[in-house]
Amino acid sequence: MSDQEKRIALFVTCVVDQILPEVGVDTVKVLRRAGCAVDFPPEQTCCGQPFFNSGFQEEARRLARRTIDAFADQDIVVLPSGSCTTMIRQEYPHLLENEPKYYYRALRLAKKTFELSEFLAKEAKWPAATAVPTPQPEPITYHDSCHMCRLLGLKNEPRHTLQAAGYAIQEMTEPDRCCGFGGLFSVRMPEVSNAMTAEKLRQAQATQAAALVTADPGCLMQMRGLTDGRQPIEHIATMLERATR
């Protein structure tokens, strides 16, 4: 590692680990092209969000403590997921507010944790030196996930990184309309969830963009599950990796 490289730790998330491993690989490639040395603490597991959203608070606390321990020695933690970043940054301190030992460690972890495009836009050397795509890639459209957009306030950062990699963005009528996933919402109310997803896909296809892009693996999984295949649906890490080869 050169003196100029920034060392970061990748929290890959359980959805990426188990269902979308290619997103994890693309994330590592993009981070390396942005001048980072990437560590992967093997002790990491799920962030606990499924337990938290289901009302199993003690089980969520157990995974929060485990995550805090796993990343305690890291200076910067990056996730390819706005939703899991929200869990760590905003919910861990609430979950552990009655445990002084972990409460202050939760605050420290929250402060050094970033969603991928947020990290690239605010902390890293982006675009990478190789980010001069020729020919220019086709326009894409971007879906704002609820957690990342409304709870973290990250709307400009993913667009900035995509545009810096050469992509033009064709906006949907409602880019921040929920995709219908919502974790257990899609399981408990599938008819409503699927109707919301159908409207999101209709709006995306109306843009005639070459691909629908999102920064959240949960949204990606939901939309891919109901697409007719006419418009590819990709994670932002994959699109950035393609444009900077």
PDB file of all heavy atoms in Angstrom, residues 77-106:
ATOM      1  N   VAL A  77     -15.416   2.556   7.439  1.00  0.00           N
ATOM      2  CA  VAL A  77     -16.192   1.378   7.038  1.00  0.00           C
ATOM      3  C   VAL A  77     -17.106   1.791   5.881  1.00  0.00           C
ATOM      4  O   VAL A  77     -17.799   2.801   5.969  1.00  0.00           O
ATOM      5  CB  VAL A  77     -17.041   0.836   8.205  1.00  0.00           C
ATOM      6  CG1 VAL A  77     -17.819  -0.415   7.779  1.00  0.00           C
ATOM      7  CG2 VAL A  77     -16.156   0.530   9.417  1.00  0.00           C
ATOM      8  N   VAL A  78     -17.100   1.015   4.802  1.00  0.00           N
ATOM      9  CA  VAL A  78     -17.910   1.329   3.615  1.00  0.00           C
ATOM     10  C   VAL A  78     -18.835   0.154   3.313  1.00  0.00           C
ATOM     11  O   VAL A  78     -18.424  -1.014   3.382  1.00  0.00           O
ATOM     12  CB  VAL A  78     -17.013   1.620   2.395  1.00  0.00           C
ATOM     13  CG1 VAL A  78     -17.851   1.834   1.141  1.00  0.00           C
ATOM     14  CG2 VAL A  78     -16.145   2.856   2.658  1.00  0.00           C
ATOM     15  N   LEU A  79     -20.100   0.475   2.982  1.00  0.00           N
ATOM     16  CA  LEU A  79     -21.095  -0.546   2.657  1.00  0.00           C
ATOM     17  C   LEU A  79     -21.713  -0.266   1.287  1.00  0.00           C
ATOM     18  O   LEU A  79     -22.022   0.893   0.981  1.00  0.00           O
ATOM     19  CB  LEU A  79     -22.249  -0.549   3.674  1.00  0.00           C
ATOM     20  CG  LEU A  79     -21.963  -0.939   5.116  1.00  0.00           C
ATOM     21  CD1 LEU A  79     -21.442   0.226   5.913  1.00  0.00           C
ATOM     22  CD2 LEU A  79     -23.214  -1.507   5.770  1.00  0.00           C
ATOM     23  N   PRO A  80     -21.965  -1.300   0.477  1.00  0.00           N
ATOM     24  CA  PRO A  80     -22.694  -1.101  -0.783  1.00  0.00           C
ATOM     25  C   PRO A  80     -24.196  -1.169  -0.543  1.00  0.00           C
ATOM     26  O   PRO A  80     -24.932  -1.839  -1.271  1.00  0.00           O
ATOM     27  CB  PRO A  80     -22.202  -2.273  -1.647  1.00  0.00           C
ATOM     28  CG  PRO A  80     -21.940  -3.363  -0.663  1.00  0.00           C
ATOM     29  CD  PRO A  80     -21.470  -2.686   0.603  1.00  0.00           C
ATOM     30  N   SER A  81     -24.683  -0.458   0.465  1.00  0.00           N
ATOM     31  CA  SER A  81     -26.096  -0.513   0.852  1.00  0.00           C
ATOM     32  C   SER A  81     -26.466   0.706   1.692  1.00  0.00           C
ATOM     33  O   SER A  81     -25.942   0.872   2.801  1.00  0.00           O
ATOM     34  CB  SER A  81     -26.368  -1.789   1.664  1.00  0.00           C
ATOM     35  OG  SER A  81     -27.625  -1.698   2.299  1.00  0.00           O
ATOM     36  N   GLY A  82     -27.380   1.538   1.175  1.00  0.00           N
ATOM     37  CA  GLY A  82     -27.855   2.653   1.978  1.00  0.00           C
ATOM     38  C   GLY A  82     -28.662   2.205   3.168  1.00  0.00           C
ATOM     39  O   GLY A  82     -28.613   2.816   4.239  1.00  0.00           O
ATOM     40  N   SER A  83     -29.400   1.113   3.009  1.00  0.00           N
ATOM     41  CA  SER A  83     -30.263   0.629   4.081  1.00  0.00           C
ATOM     42  C   SER A  83     -29.456   0.154   5.292  1.00  0.00           C
ATOM     43  O   SER A  83     -29.743   0.527   6.431  1.00  0.00           O
ATOM     44  CB  SER A  83     -31.146  -0.506   3.544  1.00  0.00           C
ATOM     45  OG  SER A  83     -32.011  -0.968   4.542  1.00  0.00           O
ATOM     46  N   CYS A  84     -28.433  -0.659   5.052  1.00  0.00           N
ATOM     47  CA  CYS A  84     -27.617  -1.161   6.168  1.00  0.00           C
ATOM     48  C   CYS A  84     -26.773  -0.031   6.770  1.00  0.00           C
ATOM     49  O   CYS A  84     -26.502  -0.041   7.981  1.00  0.00           O
ATOM     50  CB  CYS A  84     -26.722  -2.301   5.692  1.00  0.00           C
ATOM     51  SG  CYS A  84     -27.652  -3.728   5.078  1.00  0.00           S
ATOM     52  N   THR A  85     -26.360   0.925   5.953  1.00  0.00           N
ATOM     53  CA  THR A  85     -25.653   2.094   6.488  1.00  0.00           C
ATOM     54  C   THR A  85     -26.560   2.855   7.458  1.00  0.00           C
ATOM     55  O   THR A  85     -26.112   3.302   8.527  1.00  0.00           O
ATOM     56  CB  THR A  85     -25.215   3.031   5.348  1.00  0.00           C
ATOM     57  OG1 THR A  85     -24.392   2.309   4.437  1.00  0.00           O
ATOM     58  CG2 THR A  85     -24.450   4.235   5.881  1.00  0.00           C
ATOM     59  N   THR A  86     -27.824   2.985   7.110  1.00  0.00           N
ATOM     60  CA  THR A  86     -28.786   3.645   8.003  1.00  0.00           C
ATOM     61  C   THR A  86     -28.919   2.894   9.314  1.00  0.00           C
ATOM     62  O   THR A  86     -28.997   3.505  10.388  1.00  0.00           O
ATOM     63  CB  THR A  86     -30.162   3.734   7.316  1.00  0.00           C
ATOM     64  OG1 THR A  86     -30.027   4.390   6.063  1.00  0.00           O
ATOM     65  CG2 THR A  86     -31.151   4.506   8.176  1.00  0.00           C
ATOM     66  N   MET A  87     -28.953   1.576   9.240  1.00  0.00           N
ATOM     67  CA  MET A  87     -29.076   0.764  10.455  1.00  0.00           C
ATOM     68  C   MET A  87     -27.918   1.053  11.411  1.00  0.00           C
ATOM     69  O   MET A  87     -28.122   1.286  12.601  1.00  0.00           O
ATOM     70  CB  MET A  87     -29.085  -0.724  10.080  1.00  0.00           C
ATOM     71  CG  MET A  87     -29.217  -1.661  11.262  1.00  0.00           C
ATOM     72  SD  MET A  87     -30.841  -1.563  12.038  1.00  0.00           S
ATOM     73  CE  MET A  87     -30.542  -2.567  13.507  1.00  0.00           C
ATOM     74  N   ILE A  88     -26.708   1.077  10.882  1.00  0.00           N
ATOM     75  CA  ILE A  88     -25.544   1.306  11.733  1.00  0.00           C
ATOM     76  C   ILE A  88     -25.510   2.752  12.228  1.00  0.00           C
ATOM     77  O   ILE A  88     -25.294   3.016  13.409  1.00  0.00           O
ATOM     78  CB  ILE A  88     -24.252   0.978  10.959  1.00  0.00           C
ATOM     79  CG1 ILE A  88     -24.185  -0.527  10.686  1.00  0.00           C
ATOM     80  CG2 ILE A  88     -23.021   1.450  11.733  1.00  0.00           C
ATOM     81  CD1 ILE A  88     -23.026  -0.918   9.802  1.00  0.00           C
ATOM     82  N   ARG A  89     -25.723   3.682  11.349  1.00  0.00           N
ATOM     83  CA  ARG A  89     -25.533   5.088  11.703  1.00  0.00           C
ATOM     84  C   ARG A  89     -26.640   5.627  12.606  1.00  0.00           C
ATOM     85  O   ARG A  89     -26.373   6.396  13.531  1.00  0.00           O
ATOM     86  CB  ARG A  89     -25.443   5.930  10.433  1.00  0.00           C
ATOM     87  CG  ARG A  89     -25.013   7.360  10.687  1.00  0.00           C
ATOM     88  CD  ARG A  89     -24.961   8.162   9.414  1.00  0.00           C
ATOM     89  NE  ARG A  89     -23.937   7.687   8.507  1.00  0.00           N
ATOM     90  CZ  ARG A  89     -23.741   8.175   7.288  1.00  0.00           C
ATOM     91  NH1 ARG A  89     -24.513   9.128   6.819  1.00  0.00           N
ATOM     92  NH2 ARG A  89     -22.778   7.696   6.529  1.00  0.00           N
ATOM     93  N   GLN A  90     -27.862   5.210  12.348  1.00  0.00           N
ATOM     94  CA  GLN A  90     -28.974   5.824  13.080  1.00  0.00           C
ATOM     95  C   GLN A  90     -29.598   4.921  14.137  1.00  0.00           C
ATOM     96  O   GLN A  90     -30.085   5.420  15.155  1.00  0.00           O
ATOM     97  CB  GLN A  90     -30.053   6.278  12.089  1.00  0.00           C
ATOM     98  CG  GLN A  90     -29.561   7.349  11.129  1.00  0.00           C
ATOM     99  CD  GLN A  90     -30.685   8.048  10.402  1.00  0.00           C
ATOM    100  OE1 GLN A  90     -31.834   7.642  10.485  1.00  0.00           O
ATOM    101  NE2 GLN A  90     -30.359   9.105   9.694  1.00  0.00           N
ATOM    102  N   GLU A  91     -29.627   3.613  13.914  1.00  0.00           N
ATOM    103  CA  GLU A  91     -30.347   2.737  14.844  1.00  0.00           C
ATOM    104  C   GLU A  91     -29.471   2.117  15.923  1.00  0.00           C
ATOM    105  O   GLU A  91     -29.945   1.875  17.039  1.00  0.00           O
ATOM    106  CB  GLU A  91     -31.070   1.631  14.072  1.00  0.00           C
ATOM    107  CG  GLU A  91     -31.992   2.126  12.968  1.00  0.00           C
ATOM    108  CD  GLU A  91     -33.108   3.049  13.472  1.00  0.00           C
ATOM    109  OE1 GLU A  91     -33.318   3.156  14.688  1.00  0.00           O
ATOM    110  OE2 GLU A  91     -33.765   3.691  12.617  1.00  0.00           O
ATOM    111  N   TYR A  92     -28.194   1.842  15.625  1.00  0.00           N
ATOM    112  CA  TYR A  92     -27.337   1.245  16.657  1.00  0.00           C
ATOM    113  C   TYR A  92     -27.290   2.097  17.928  1.00  0.00           C
ATOM    114  O   TYR A  92     -27.440   1.557  19.038  1.00  0.00           O
ATOM    115  CB  TYR A  92     -25.921   1.030  16.118  1.00  0.00           C
ATOM    116  CG  TYR A  92     -25.705  -0.241  15.313  1.00  0.00           C
ATOM    117  CD1 TYR A  92     -26.779  -0.994  14.851  1.00  0.00           C
ATOM    118  CD2 TYR A  92     -24.425  -0.662  15.006  1.00  0.00           C
ATOM    119  CE1 TYR A  92     -26.566  -2.144  14.109  1.00  0.00           C
ATOM    120  CE2 TYR A  92     -24.201  -1.815  14.266  1.00  0.00           C
ATOM    121  CZ  TYR A  92     -25.275  -2.550  13.811  1.00  0.00           C
ATOM    122  OH  TYR A  92     -25.047  -3.690  13.072  1.00  0.00           O
ATOM    123  N   PRO A  93     -27.077   3.424  17.823  1.00  0.00           N
ATOM    124  CA  PRO A  93     -27.028   4.213  19.068  1.00  0.00           C
ATOM    125  C   PRO A  93     -28.330   4.133  19.862  1.00  0.00           C
ATOM    126  O   PRO A  93     -28.300   4.100  21.102  1.00  0.00           O
ATOM    127  CB  PRO A  93     -26.760   5.635  18.557  1.00  0.00           C
ATOM    128  CG  PRO A  93     -26.019   5.433  17.271  1.00  0.00           C
ATOM    129  CD  PRO A  93     -26.678   4.244  16.656  1.00  0.00           C
ATOM    130  N   HIS A  94     -29.474   4.086  19.192  1.00  0.00           N
ATOM    131  CA  HIS A  94     -30.751   3.957  19.907  1.00  0.00           C
ATOM    132  C   HIS A  94     -30.862   2.590  20.571  1.00  0.00           C
ATOM    133  O   HIS A  94     -31.300   2.468  21.721  1.00  0.00           O
ATOM    134  CB  HIS A  94     -31.918   4.150  18.947  1.00  0.00           C
ATOM    135  CG  HIS A  94     -32.015   5.538  18.392  1.00  0.00           C
ATOM    136  ND1 HIS A  94     -32.112   6.651  19.198  1.00  0.00           N
ATOM    137  CD2 HIS A  94     -32.022   6.002  17.125  1.00  0.00           C
ATOM    138  CE1 HIS A  94     -32.173   7.743  18.441  1.00  0.00           C
ATOM    139  NE2 HIS A  94     -32.112   7.380  17.194  1.00  0.00           N
ATOM    140  N   LEU A  95     -30.478   1.558  19.851  1.00  0.00           N
ATOM    141  CA  LEU A  95     -30.584   0.206  20.401  1.00  0.00           C
ATOM    142  C   LEU A  95     -29.735   0.027  21.654  1.00  0.00           C
ATOM    143  O   LEU A  95     -30.106  -0.716  22.571  1.00  0.00           O
ATOM    144  CB  LEU A  95     -30.125  -0.815  19.357  1.00  0.00           C
ATOM    145  CG  LEU A  95     -31.146  -1.300  18.331  1.00  0.00           C
ATOM    146  CD1 LEU A  95     -30.443  -2.158  17.283  1.00  0.00           C
ATOM    147  CD2 LEU A  95     -32.257  -2.101  19.001  1.00  0.00           C
ATOM    148  N   LEU A  96     -28.591   0.713  21.696  1.00  0.00           N
ATOM    149  CA  LEU A  96     -27.610   0.469  22.757  1.00  0.00           C
ATOM    150  C   LEU A  96     -27.485   1.647  23.731  1.00  0.00           C
ATOM    151  O   LEU A  96     -26.515   1.743  24.472  1.00  0.00           O
ATOM    152  CB  LEU A  96     -26.248   0.169  22.124  1.00  0.00           C
ATOM    153  CG  LEU A  96     -26.250  -1.077  21.220  1.00  0.00           C
ATOM    154  CD1 LEU A  96     -25.003  -1.128  20.361  1.00  0.00           C
ATOM    155  CD2 LEU A  96     -26.387  -2.346  22.061  1.00  0.00           C
ATOM    156  N   GLU A  97     -28.495   2.496  23.761  1.00  0.00           N
ATOM    157  CA  GLU A  97     -28.384   3.704  24.588  1.00  0.00           C
ATOM    158  C   GLU A  97     -28.349   3.404  26.085  1.00  0.00           C
ATOM    159  O   GLU A  97     -27.898   4.244  26.877  1.00  0.00           O
ATOM    160  CB  GLU A  97     -29.527   4.671  24.282  1.00  0.00           C
ATOM    161  CG  GLU A  97     -30.914   4.109  24.542  1.00  0.00           C
ATOM    162  CD  GLU A  97     -31.993   5.068  24.056  1.00  0.00           C
ATOM    163  OE1 GLU A  97     -31.634   6.161  23.594  1.00  0.00           O
ATOM    164  OE2 GLU A  97     -33.176   4.710  24.139  1.00  0.00           O
ATOM    165  N   ASN A  98     -28.779   2.227  26.505  1.00  0.00           N
ATOM    166  CA  ASN A  98     -28.731   1.862  27.925  1.00  0.00           C
ATOM    167  C   ASN A  98     -27.517   1.011  28.275  1.00  0.00           C
ATOM    168  O   ASN A  98     -27.435   0.469  29.383  1.00  0.00           O
ATOM    169  CB  ASN A  98     -30.015   1.126  28.318  1.00  0.00           C
ATOM    170  CG  ASN A  98     -31.230   2.030  28.232  1.00  0.00           C
ATOM    171  OD1 ASN A  98     -31.166   3.213  28.577  1.00  0.00           O
ATOM    172  ND2 ASN A  98     -32.342   1.491  27.758  1.00  0.00           N
ATOM    173  N   GLU A  99     -26.598   0.879  27.339  1.00  0.00           N
ATOM    174  CA  GLU A  99     -25.371   0.111  27.582  1.00  0.00           C
ATOM    175  C   GLU A  99     -24.176   1.037  27.329  1.00  0.00           C
ATOM    176  O   GLU A  99     -23.699   1.130  26.188  1.00  0.00           O
ATOM    177  CB  GLU A  99     -25.299  -1.102  26.647  1.00  0.00           C
ATOM    178  CG  GLU A  99     -26.447  -2.077  26.827  1.00  0.00           C
ATOM    179  CD  GLU A  99     -26.333  -3.269  25.881  1.00  0.00           C
ATOM    180  OE1 GLU A  99     -25.189  -3.706  25.624  1.00  0.00           O
ATOM    181  OE2 GLU A  99     -27.359  -3.736  25.400  1.00  0.00           O
ATOM    182  N   PRO A 100     -23.705   1.743  28.338  1.00  0.00           N
ATOM    183  CA  PRO A 100     -22.646   2.741  28.131  1.00  0.00           C
ATOM    184  C   PRO A 100     -21.436   2.205  27.374  1.00  0.00           C
ATOM    185  O   PRO A 100     -20.875   2.901  26.511  1.00  0.00           O
ATOM    186  CB  PRO A 100     -22.274   3.155  29.557  1.00  0.00           C
ATOM    187  CG  PRO A 100     -23.524   2.914  30.337  1.00  0.00           C
ATOM    188  CD  PRO A 100     -24.161   1.686  29.735  1.00  0.00           C
ATOM    189  N   LYS A 101     -21.036   0.966  27.661  1.00  0.00           N
ATOM    190  CA  LYS A 101     -19.850   0.412  26.995  1.00  0.00           C
ATOM    191  C   LYS A 101     -20.031   0.406  25.480  1.00  0.00           C
ATOM    192  O   LYS A 101     -19.117   0.766  24.725  1.00  0.00           O
ATOM    193  CB  LYS A 101     -19.593  -1.004  27.491  1.00  0.00           C
ATOM    194  CG  LYS A 101     -18.462  -1.700  26.742  1.00  0.00           C
ATOM    195  CD  LYS A 101     -18.307  -3.148  27.189  1.00  0.00           C
ATOM    196  CE  LYS A 101     -17.270  -3.856  26.323  1.00  0.00           C
ATOM    197  NZ  LYS A 101     -17.152  -5.287  26.695  1.00  0.00           N
ATOM    198  N   TYR A 102     -21.227  -0.022  25.027  1.00  0.00           N
ATOM    199  CA  TYR A 102     -21.456  -0.127  23.587  1.00  0.00           C
ATOM    200  C   TYR A 102     -22.075   1.131  22.989  1.00  0.00           C
ATOM    201  O   TYR A 102     -21.950   1.371  21.787  1.00  0.00           O
ATOM    202  CB  TYR A 102     -22.320  -1.352  23.278  1.00  0.00           C
ATOM    203  CG  TYR A 102     -21.502  -2.610  23.161  1.00  0.00           C
ATOM    204  CD1 TYR A 102     -21.402  -3.486  24.222  1.00  0.00           C
ATOM    205  CD2 TYR A 102     -20.790  -2.898  21.999  1.00  0.00           C
ATOM    206  CE1 TYR A 102     -20.628  -4.642  24.136  1.00  0.00           C
ATOM    207  CE2 TYR A 102     -20.012  -4.035  21.896  1.00  0.00           C
ATOM    208  CZ  TYR A 102     -19.933  -4.909  22.964  1.00  0.00           C
ATOM    209  OH  TYR A 102     -19.147  -6.034  22.866  1.00  0.00           O
ATOM    210  N   TYR A 103     -22.754   1.924  23.777  1.00  0.00           N
ATOM    211  CA  TYR A 103     -23.378   3.131  23.239  1.00  0.00           C
ATOM    212  C   TYR A 103     -22.328   4.063  22.616  1.00  0.00           C
ATOM    213  O   TYR A 103     -22.481   4.515  21.467  1.00  0.00           O
ATOM    214  CB  TYR A 103     -24.136   3.866  24.342  1.00  0.00           C
ATOM    215  CG  TYR A 103     -24.662   5.215  23.904  1.00  0.00           C
ATOM    216  CD1 TYR A 103     -25.681   5.312  22.955  1.00  0.00           C
ATOM    217  CD2 TYR A 103     -24.120   6.387  24.424  1.00  0.00           C
ATOM    218  CE1 TYR A 103     -26.154   6.550  22.546  1.00  0.00           C
ATOM    219  CE2 TYR A 103     -24.595   7.646  24.019  1.00  0.00           C
ATOM    220  CZ  TYR A 103     -25.612   7.707  23.078  1.00  0.00           C
ATOM    221  OH  TYR A 103     -26.067   8.938  22.668  1.00  0.00           O
ATOM    222  N   TYR A 104     -21.270   4.346  23.338  1.00  0.00           N
ATOM    223  CA  TYR A 104     -20.252   5.270  22.817  1.00  0.00           C
ATOM    224  C   TYR A 104     -19.465   4.643  21.667  1.00  0.00           C
ATOM    225  O   TYR A 104     -19.041   5.331  20.732  1.00  0.00           O
ATOM    226  CB  TYR A 104     -19.321   5.733  23.941  1.00  0.00           C
ATOM    227  CG  TYR A 104     -20.048   6.613  24.927  1.00  0.00           C
ATOM    228  CD1 TYR A 104     -20.430   6.141  26.170  1.00  0.00           C
ATOM    229  CD2 TYR A 104     -20.405   7.920  24.589  1.00  0.00           C
ATOM    230  CE1 TYR A 104     -21.136   6.943  27.065  1.00  0.00           C
ATOM    231  CE2 TYR A 104     -21.108   8.725  25.467  1.00  0.00           C
ATOM    232  CZ  TYR A 104     -21.470   8.228  26.701  1.00  0.00           C
ATOM    233  OH  TYR A 104     -22.182   9.021  27.559  1.00  0.00           O
ATOM    234  N   ARG A 105     -19.302   3.333  21.727  1.00  0.00           N
ATOM    235  CA  ARG A 105     -18.645   2.657  20.594  1.00  0.00           C
ATOM    236  C   ARG A 105     -19.558   2.673  19.367  1.00  0.00           C
ATOM    237  O   ARG A 105     -19.082   2.764  18.230  1.00  0.00           O
ATOM    238  CB  ARG A 105     -18.283   1.224  20.984  1.00  0.00           C
ATOM    239  CG  ARG A 105     -17.259   1.153  22.122  1.00  0.00           C
ATOM    240  CD  ARG A 105     -17.008  -0.277  22.533  1.00  0.00           C
ATOM    241  NE  ARG A 105     -16.241  -0.989  21.504  1.00  0.00           N
ATOM    242  CZ  ARG A 105     -16.107  -2.300  21.477  1.00  0.00           C
ATOM    243  NH1 ARG A 105     -16.680  -3.043  22.426  1.00  0.00           N
ATOM    244  NH2 ARG A 105     -15.393  -2.878  20.530  1.00  0.00           N
ATOM    245  N   ALA A 106     -20.878   2.585  19.586  1.00  0.00           N
ATOM    246  CA  ALA A 106     -21.834   2.686  18.475  1.00  0.00           C
ATOM    247  C   ALA A 106     -21.762   4.062  17.826  1.00  0.00           C
ATOM    248  O   ALA A 106     -21.823   4.186  16.597  1.00  0.00           O
ATOM    249  CB  ALA A 106     -23.248   2.407  18.975  1.00  0.00           C
TER     250      ALA A 106
END
